[in-house]
Amino acid sequence: MLYGIAAATAALLLAAVLAALLRTLALRLGVIERRRARVVPLLGGVAVIGATGFVAGIGDWTGVAPLGSTAGRLLVAGIGVGVLGLIADLRRVPLFVQAVVVAGVAAWTVPYDALGLPVGMVAVGWIVLVAHAFTSLDHADGVMGTVAVVTAFALSGCAAAEVMDGLATLLSVLAAALAGFLMHSWPPARIVPGRCGALFAGFVLASAAVFVHAGREAGSSAGAVFALTAVATADAVLVLVSRRRAGRPLLRGAPDHLVHRLRRLGVTPQGGTVVVGIGGFAGALVGLLIHLGWVSATAALWVAGGAVVVVLALLRIPAYGVGHVGHSGRPHPAYTVQIAAKPQVSGRLRVRNR
């Protein structure tokens, strides 16, 4: 109990301090990203990974809170995926290559003894999709971090219920580190997680969901896993359907995500993050309650129905051929979708537009 409180506090403070230091380093090295006509530094994911790995590793090394083989392997795999994301932040890495690497790491992590080979391969594909869905959530300040925090806390409760103490500890430390990082990434963000932080968080959360539900009844497991990742799934579906209908390349970036459309309705950047965070909290809570057996798996149908309604409603909001949305909810005249879709590289200064 006392170690849990101390570990969470240490992870939160360490992530906040590292984010401040890495912000200065990123600006000095020119590792930046353009968002809404302003420049923000990357490398925030390094702060999340560093705080999570250091605090969880110290607990395991001292024997105060051993991670065990499952959580230890997951942490190592997550760090490896985070390194891949860092490379993608620093230089262009094709999405196909990223997906293949994440799939390979997930294949090494998935518990085939509990799932069996066919279901295990499905789990690998699902982990890859969720990990990249979390990178998609990092399209606006604070969104990915907020959703990841509530998901990590819910999954730590699921792990604790299964007496998977090492995994529960890892998820609690991750949640605290993400909360500390949110001090800097809340809109307007002073530093953002980039693919490094988003891939790390998404991979660890998706893999943890597989671990805690492995060997359980298929219906309740599927319902709980979907509810826990409902927001990321809804955002990915919204983007893919919207681009498909518009005849746009599926992998070409554009302001067509959840928060972008909410801002076109006049919602402030902070308000958009709160709305998406509330949606993430609701889904995570339902997933936790299903796992604990307090509600039936059919509760996930209500989450799915709500997600469908939200996606259909937001599809009616124009996303293409208009200027980028400013603080007031009106298009910014100097920042167009075409500019947002084209990364620019000047010397060693890396500028990624969103």
Side-chain angles (χ1 to χ4, degrees):
M1 179 67 176
L2 289 177
Y3 172 80
I5 296 174
T9 303
L12 186 149
L13 294 177
L14 182 58
V17 172
L18 284 176
L21 296 175
L22 288 166
R23 177 180 186 275
T24 302
L25 179 64
L27 289 173
R28 187 166 296 175
L29 296 177
V31 184
I32 57 179
E33 178 177 275
R34 188 177 299 280
R35 289 190 176 185
R36 301 175 57 247
R38 64 188 179 88
V39 167
V40 291
L42 291 168
L43 298 184
V46 178
V48 175
I49 294 175
T52 303
F54 179 78
V55 174
I58 288 295
D60 184 63
W61 178 62
T62 59
V64 176
L67 295 177
S69 60
T70 296
R73 183 172 59 176
L74 178 54
L75 177 59
V76 172
I79 292 174
V81 171
V83 171
L84 168 67
L86 178 60
I87 295 173
D89 284 332
L90 297 176
R91 59 187 306 159
R92 196 179 298 276
V93 178
L95 184 60
F96 174 76
V97 174
Q98 296 179 45
V100 169
V101 174
V102 175
V105 178
W108 174 70
T109 309
V110 165
Y112 297 101
D113 54 341
L115 295 174
L117 183 59
V119 178
M121 296 307 294
V122 172
V124 168
W126 183 80
I127 290 171
V128 173
L129 291 175
V130 171
H132 283 88
F134 268 81
T135 66
S136 181
L137 282 179
D138 186 37
H139 58 268
D141 299 348
V143 174
M144 190 285 296
T146 302
V147 174
V149 165
V150 296
T151 306
F153 272 123
L155 276 170
S156 68
C158 295
E162 295 296 314
V163 199
M164 303 174 76
D165 296 336
L167 189 57
T169 298
L170 174 60
L171 291 166
S172 298
V173 171
L174 172 61
L178 288 165
F181 178 71
L182 274 175
M183 296 180 184
H184 298 273
S185 65
W186 190 259
R190 296 184 294 277
I191 187 171
V192 294
R195 284 192 172 271
C196 176
L199 275 178
F200 172 73
F203 179 87
V204 171
L205 294 175
S207 301
V210 170
F211 277 115
V212 298
H213 292 95
R216 293 173 60 89
E217 194 273 323
S220 63
S221 295
V225 166
F226 168 75
L228 286 162
T229 58
V231 168
T233 302
D235 182 72
V237 170
L238 172 65
V239 168
L240 293 176
V241 172
S242 178
R243 293 176 187 176
R244 179 74 176 180
R245 290 175 60 189
R248 297 175 62 89
L250 297 182
L251 302 182
R252 183 180 180 182
D256 51 6
H257 294 264
L258 287 170
V259 172
H260 293 139
R261 296 172 192 263
L262 289 174
R263 295 237 304 274
R264 296 193 187 283
L265 294 176
V267 179
T268 64
Q270 295 84 355
T273 302
V274 170
V275 169
V276 175
I278 290 173
F281 173 79
L285 178 61
V286 171
L288 174 61
L289 294 178
I290 292 174
H291 183 89
L292 296 176
W294 293 2
V295 299
S296 68
T298 56
L301 296 177
W302 290 96
V303 177
V308 169
V309 170
V310 169
V311 169
L312 291 177
L314 293 181
L315 280 173
R316 300 175 63 87
I317 300 173
Y320 310 116
V322 293
H324 197 79
V325 179
H327 281 281
S328 64
R330 295 186 294 273
H332 193 294
Y335 197 64
T336 64
V337 173
Q338 286 75 18
I339 294 176
K342 288 187 176 181
Q344 302 172 356
V345 180
S346 176
R348 67 188 184 92
L349 180 66
R350 170 75 186 274
V351 180
R352 298 194 324 174
N353 293 310
R354 292 223 178 186

